[in-house]
């Protein structure tokens, strides 16, 4: 298992803030997203590495372990427990009670650092009892469309030959990671299984821009209705709505439709807002009669 410098992967300093890490991750995720790089194995590899780096460095607890143990951060608790046990036995003057044993060649799953910590053995025992190690965490990615996560849904995933029933809450965000306890790698020497971390890639193929639970959209308003007022129809994620346009509506006018945004994550029945920005549509290819009407208006010094 070669060491991967997560800071180098994201292109950030070791003192980078969580916001800087997330910003760097989003930039790389967009650059190497499989949808934008079809059949590009190198881009796929970079995308997965960016996801992995973000998962570790954006979590303060995982980042602390990674900074201390590097690629062996997932086994930090086992390292600390073994060191405390060794120190305690040493204080009791019972150093002769330590024995090391290799079982079934499982040591190949661990790094040189791990083996050096435990004397080159897969199992460490004190007075003949094996220490149990937690299994490796697994990382997976699930790609969904924006409309897929508009409602809560259930899916069945297959990970290492096992089917896992998963409930995906409405409102989950792009790049968000959830943990499924106990569905990672099997434990060592009877230890507990690791966890499965699923990172979501949400593809937005709608006309709306999403920011959390709020949606944003630009809507064209005919010139006549912008000047005289009137009614227009606007598409939302749940269908069309009619809106009144006030007389003298300026280009760039913003309107908020309360509760017409995206579902709030794990807040049943709560939605964000939809923000519309009006752009006044200037007519083209006018007939001679229409041009004459505008010329008449111009003579009235209408501004």
């Amino acid at each position: 298992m070669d060491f991967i410098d997560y800071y180098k992967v994201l292109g950030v300093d070791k003192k980078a803030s969580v916001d800087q890490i997330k910003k760097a991750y989003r930039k790389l995720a967009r650059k190497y997203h499989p949808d934008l790089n079809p059949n590009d194995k190198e881009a796929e590899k970079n995308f997965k590495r960016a996801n992995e780096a973000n998962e570790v460095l954006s979590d303060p607890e995982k980042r602390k372990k990674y900074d201390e143990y590097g690629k062996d951060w997932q086994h930090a608790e086992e390292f600390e427990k073994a060191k405390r046990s060794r120190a305690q036995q040493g204080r009791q003057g019972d150093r002769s009670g330590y024995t090391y044993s290799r079982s079934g060649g499982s040591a190949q799953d661990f790094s040189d650092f791990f083996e050096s910590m435990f004397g080159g053995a897969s199992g460490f025992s004190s007075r003949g009892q094996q220490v149990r190690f937690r299994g490796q965490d697994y990382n997976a990615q699930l790609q969904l469309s924006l409309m897929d996560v508009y409602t809560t849904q259930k899916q069945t995933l297959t990970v290492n030959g096992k089917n896992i029933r998963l409930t995906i809450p409405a409102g989950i965000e792009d790049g968000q990671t959830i943990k499924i306890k106990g569905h990672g790698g099997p434990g060592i020497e009877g230890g507990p299984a690791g966890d499965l971390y699923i990172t979501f890639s949400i593809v937005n193929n709608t006309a709306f821009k999403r920011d959390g639970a709020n949606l944003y959209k630009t809507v064209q308003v005919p010139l006549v209705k912008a000047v005289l007022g009137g009614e227009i129809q606007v598409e939302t994620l749940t269908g069309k709505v009619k809106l009144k346009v006030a007389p003298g509506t300026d280009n760039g006018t913003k309107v908020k439709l309360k509760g017409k945004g995206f579902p709030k994550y794990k807040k049943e029945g709560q939605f964000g807002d939809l923000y519309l920005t009006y752009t006044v549509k200037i007519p083209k290819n006018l007939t001679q009669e229409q041009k004459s009407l505008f010329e008449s208006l111009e003579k009235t010094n209408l501004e």
Side-chain angles (χ1 to χ4, degrees), residues 169-278:
I172 201 160
E173 296 200 40
D174 183 48
Q176 186 172 342
T177 300
I178 64 172
K179 179 177 77 172
I180 304 179
K181 189 174 178 61
H183 283 280
I188 308 299
E189 304 296 347
D195 300 325
L196 170 63
Y197 290 87
I198 299 179
T199 300
F200 289 85
S201 174
I202 309 301
V203 179
N204 185 356
N205 50 10
T206 72
F208 300 89
K209 179 182 176 182
R210 181 188 179 191
D211 183 8
N214 293 326
L215 296 176
Y216 298 82
K217 185 180 181 182
T218 299
V219 176
Q220 286 192 334
V221 178
L223 177 62
V224 174
K225 290 186 178 180
V227 174
L228 302 178
E231 191 175 79
I232 61 173
Q233 280 193 335
V234 175
E235 286 279 0
T236 71
L237 283 181
T238 54
K240 293 182 179 180
V241 297
K242 291 182 179 181
L243 296 179
K244 289 185 177 180
V245 177
T249 294
D250 288 329
N251 191 50
T253 295
K254 298 184 185 299
V255 177
K256 181 176 79 171
L257 301 186
K258 189 173 179 61
K260 288 293 184 180
F262 215 71
K264 294 185 177 181
Y265 181 66
K266 287 191 174 181
K267 293 183 178 179
E268 190 70 27
Q270 295 186 37
F271 293 79
D273 303 320
L274 170 59
Y275 292 86
L276 303 175
T277 300
Y278 289 157

Side-chain angles (χ1 to χ4, degrees), residues 126-138:
S126 173
R127 296 179 180 176
Q129 292 187 358
Q130 293 285 348
V131 176
R132 298 176 179 178
F133 298 109
R134 181 175 174 275
Q136 182 181 6
D137 289 338
Y138 288 161

Side-chain angles (χ1 to χ4, degrees), residues 124-149:
F124 172 86
S125 64
S126 173
R127 296 179 180 176
Q129 292 187 358
Q130 293 285 348
V131 176
R132 298 176 179 178
F133 298 109
R134 181 175 174 275
Q136 182 181 6
D137 289 338
Y138 288 161
N139 296 283
Q141 182 181 320
L142 181 59
Q143 181 174 299
L144 298 169
S145 71
L146 188 67
M147 292 308 298
D148 285 334
V149 295

Side-chain angles (χ1 to χ4, degrees), residues 30-237:
R30 287 193 295 268
K31 180 179 179 181
Y32 295 117
H33 198 285
D35 286 352
L36 301 178
N37 302 275
N39 302 319
D40 188 334
K41 296 297 183 182
E42 189 63 27
E44 181 181 356
K45 180 180 178 181
N46 290 331
F47 185 72
K48 289 180 179 179
R49 281 193 174 182
N51 274 326
E52 184 178 334
N54 177 64
E55 177 205 330
V56 174
L57 298 185
S58 63
D59 184 310
E61 185 176 344
K62 291 180 182 178
R63 183 178 180 180
K64 181 180 179 181
K65 293 178 181 178
Y66 174 77
D67 286 342
E68 184 172 356
Y69 292 100
K71 66 183 178 184
D72 301 287
W73 66 272
Q74 293 181 347
H75 299 285
E77 292 180 9
E78 287 86 348
F79 295 161
E80 294 299 328
K81 183 186 295 185
K83 286 195 293 185
R84 287 195 297 270
S85 176
R86 181 182 300 185
Q88 182 179 6
Q89 293 293 336
R91 286 193 297 271
Q92 293 173 356
D94 191 20
R95 291 186 175 85
S96 62
Y98 285 99
T99 60
Y100 298 87
S101 64
R102 184 176 299 276
S103 58
S106 60
Q108 65 184 351
D109 296 329
F110 299 97
S111 66
D112 294 338
F113 177 77
F114 184 92
E115 292 199 57
S116 66
M117 177 69 76
F118 295 103
S122 63
F124 172 86
S125 64
S126 173
R127 296 179 180 176
Q129 292 187 358
Q130 293 285 348
V131 176
R132 298 176 179 178
F133 298 109
R134 181 175 174 275
Q136 182 181 6
D137 289 338
Y138 288 161
N139 296 283
Q141 182 181 320
L142 181 59
Q143 181 174 299
L144 298 169
S145 71
L146 188 67
M147 292 308 298
D148 285 334
V149 295
Y150 186 79
T151 57
T152 296
Q153 60 169 288
K154 295 183 182 294
Q155 284 205 13
T156 300
L157 305 180
T158 302
V159 179
N160 281 2
K162 294 182 179 179
N163 290 332
I164 302 172
R165 290 181 59 82
L166 176 66
T167 298
I168 304 173
I172 201 160
E173 296 200 40
D174 183 48
Q176 186 172 342
T177 300
I178 64 172
K179 179 177 77 172
I180 304 179
K181 189 174 178 61
H183 283 280
I188 308 299
E189 304 296 347
D195 300 325
L196 170 63
Y197 290 87
I198 299 179
T199 300
F200 289 85
S201 174
I202 309 301
V203 179
N204 185 356
N205 50 10
T206 72
F208 300 89
K209 179 182 176 182
R210 181 188 179 191
D211 183 8
N214 293 326
L215 296 176
Y216 298 82
K217 185 180 181 182
T218 299
V219 176
Q220 286 192 334
V221 178
L223 177 62
V224 174
K225 290 186 178 180
V227 174
L228 302 178
E231 191 175 79
I232 61 173
Q233 280 193 335
V234 175
E235 286 279 0
T236 71
L237 283 181

